[in-house]
Amino acid sequence: MLFNSFQFFVFFPIVTLAFFVLPHRYRWIWLLVASCYFYMVFVPAYILILFFTIGVDYAVGILIENAEGRRKRLLLVASILGNIGVLGFFKYFNFVQMNLAGMAAALDWNYPIQLLNIALPLGLSFHTFRSLSYTIEVYRGNFQAERHLGLFALYVMFYPELVAGPIERPQNLLPQLRERHEFDYERVTDGLKLMAWGFFKKLVIADRLADFVNPIYNQPAAYPGVALALATILFAYQIYCDFSGYTDIATGAAQVMGFKLMRNFQRPYFAISIADFWRRWHISLSTWFRDYLYVPLGGNRVPKWRWQLNLFITFLVSGLWHGANWTFVAWGALHGLYLLLSIWTSGIRMRMSRVLGIDSSLDLLRPLQVVATFSLVSFAWIFFRASTIQDAFLIIQHIFSPSGYSGTIGETLLTYLNMSKVGIVSIMILSIAELAQARASLRVMVRSQPAWLRWAAYYVLVMSILLLGKFSDQRFIYFQF
Amino acid sequence: MIKLLGRICLLSGMVAISWLLVIVLANSQSNSGSKGYLAGIIDKHRLLGETSPPRIILVGGSNLALGLDSGMVHREMSTNVVNMGVNAGVGLKFMLNEVRSALRSGDTVIIIPEYEQFYGYRNGGTTLVETLSIYPEGIRYLDSADQWLMVVSQFPGYAQGLFLRFFKGFGTANGFAINRSSYNEYGDITAHLDQPSRVKVADLGLSRPGKLDFDDEAVSILNEFARFARTREAKFLLIFPPLPAAQYDINREQIEYAYARIKGEAEFAVLGSPRDYLFPTSYFFDTVYHLNRQGRAARTEKLIDALKTVH
């Protein structure tokens, strides 16, 4: 089920109302049934995959807790193999096959390529990672194995975060599933407002921008550099609003019922460096890779060259997690390279800013850092969005070629800006809101306003969504992961 | 909770009143609402009721309204013709249900569906909601939960479309107005015939890349109607819509797949193939289904030739 669907519009109030009406001891059953239904709207049979990973990790968690030494490690390996195996099979089998076939063809070998005609189960990458974090935390002794199968299943399948995160840690969510949550007017209305804001980002900004970006990126050879450059910048906001919008809806829906999910975005396009960007973007994933890949590889507690290699590998794998395509690997590699370059050039950059006299002027330095970081991130998005590596390089070539800006560039730019005006105006509203958030939480700011102004804001927000939003069941970008 | 429900009702009320205002204001425009292009459905139903059988009843979307010379069909086939085509956005089910109760012995129903009907549009879209807002009697043609769900879920999209067009103006996008009064005595539109071609050929977006999202239910709906037509001693046959050859090349796989499925599963006559109705891009007006004078004549002649093989 998509959040931006009529079905969810009916599903959410029914599930939430029943949640508050039911006695506490039955609520977990209701939420579990609702989550199963939520998932089965996509492809019903795929729930068996979820049941498989839940079953394996529930059993493994208990066994790990009672085991020691080698047996304990073997159980963890079993859980990792089970989860990664499922992920690998559904997500990467065809990718591996096609690459092997390509290599064989290059070597003039006969490789009878066998591709599977299977649809990727939605949210597979998210719930397997959620499940894995559970077994790893139990292995590390940071969390006690959950004995209640129903609650564990609900931890993995909790519908707000089921298909696109945040990737919750067991320490955060599982205890909350046991707590009694009562109706609280302030908390519920805050949750609803967060959902409305999420819908605004998704339906008004992301989906309107997609109308502009998709035709250009689907046929990049047909567009001049100025259009490709604009599409790239707008895609940066499309993916941010799409994903953070989804997260806001998920977080708001959970909050309405009294569950607090982890923050997944922290104004990423105000980052002052690539490292800072990754502290603000898809935080649940970046911290997952930090805790379960980067740190086990040695993190930064190893020789310098090894530390930097660990960083690069982590970003490579992160890129691959996003999709079975070399473009995602290239995107991850580029971010890894950015980080390495920032480490290698940190001394030079500090000296340069001292020489230019901007090191002591935050008012000047910070905007420059934000613009530079945004530019680097947007450049990397080219690989993320392009259909193939060849397309990505073609887009880069067109963007940086002077011929892409010849002729009446002003007029051309105005034409393309006009085509995307709803999205652009909405981006400006979003940016103003996020700038304001630097001083105080948006919710606190809104709550401190007089009632008539608050109601006017709610009215304008809802009417904007209804009159300017795109209601075409457009999937969330991160659903494909 | 009562306080929250009260506040939600208040906000919903404000929004609902605003929406109604938008709909009323938008429908009062000269090329909208009961005066607009979609309102032609009202007159077509009257025409269907007033035209005596045996009739050739043409069912489909705007490929019929803006792409067929029903007068030529009438003269060549010596049979009354009623062109029921308005907009494919009402969906396959709706357009078939529209003619169901009017069917009489000796009638021939020719369905010429746009390809989108087989790739996700059989229940229609926002156009169905807009049509029902102009022609509320059309509600009786909704006979499945799917269609009702479509109408309810597409209501925001409909109100939105109205809101945006209200500010941009109605029916003047082509530089001239096509509205309810543009239909002739058969239900054809002719105002566009001598306009220059400005069609853009691009992927119809029938399916996701690499997929064939063919709607299995669409052929079942056609078969069910064919069986119904037989109980009324009426004929039912399918002809493919006109398309630029360049458009066919882009969506060849989906079109040929649809053709293979229809041909293989149809319990009714399928006249010709999609390739029989391919024309040069210069024959088209503003969309890949709307024909100018030259295209309309060529297409109508082909259709008549096909009909003569079964009549």
Side-chain angles (χ1 to χ4, degrees), chain A residues 6-7 17 20-21 117-119 183 185-186 188-189 192 208 421 454-455 458-459 462-471 475, chain B residues 1-8 10-11 14-16 18-19 22 149 152-154 156-157 159-161 163-164 168 202 208 211:
Chain A
F6 179 70
Q7 284 164 306
L17 213 58
F20 284 118
V21 163
N117 186 22
I118 40 170
F183 181 90
Y185 179 81
E186 294 293 341
V188 168
T189 52
L192 291 173
R208 287 281 168 211
K421 55 181 177 289
R454 288 201 315 271
W455 275 84
Y458 304 151
Y459 172 78
V462 171
M463 287 302 284
S464 304
I465 293 167
L466 292 174
L467 293 177
L468 298 173
K470 206 156 179 261
F471 294 90
R475 288 226 166 137
Chain B
M1 206 184 292
I2 308 290
K3 182 180 172 190
L4 175 67
L5 288 173
R7 300 266 161 111
I8 290 173
L10 178 60
L11 186 61
M14 286 163 63
V15 166
S18 306
W19 249 0
V22 165
L149 194 63
V152 172
S153 65
Q154 290 297 317
Q160 199 180 82
F163 172 75
L164 292 172
K168 286 187 190 172
R208 292 165 290 166
K211 302 272 175 202

Side-chain angles (χ1 to χ4, degrees), chain A residues 175-193:
Chain A
Q176 292 189 69
L177 297 178
R178 289 203 139 79
E179 287 164 9
R180 183 189 294 271
H181 301 280
E182 299 303 342
F183 181 90
D184 175 82
Y185 179 81
E186 294 293 341
R187 190 198 73 227
V188 168
T189 52
D190 276 352
L192 291 173
K193 286 173 212 164

Side-chain angles (χ1 to χ4, degrees), chain A residues 400-460:
Chain A
F400 290 102
S401 159
S403 61
Y405 303 86
S406 58
T408 49
I409 175 178
E411 219 175 277
T412 313
L413 185 61
L414 269 172
T415 305
Y416 285 116
L417 285 171
N418 190 47
M419 283 161 64
S420 50
K421 55 181 177 289
V422 171
I424 287 172
V425 169
S426 309
I427 288 171
M428 284 161 62
I429 295 170
L430 172 75
S431 302
I432 292 168
E434 293 204 338
L435 262 171
Q437 276 180 305
R439 297 178 202 283
S441 143
L442 207 54
R443 276 174 271 187
V444 166
M445 276 192 288
V446 168
R447 241 190 260 152
S448 64
Q449 302 305 315
W452 68 267
L453 191 55
R454 288 201 315 271
W455 275 84
Y458 304 151
Y459 172 78
V460 167

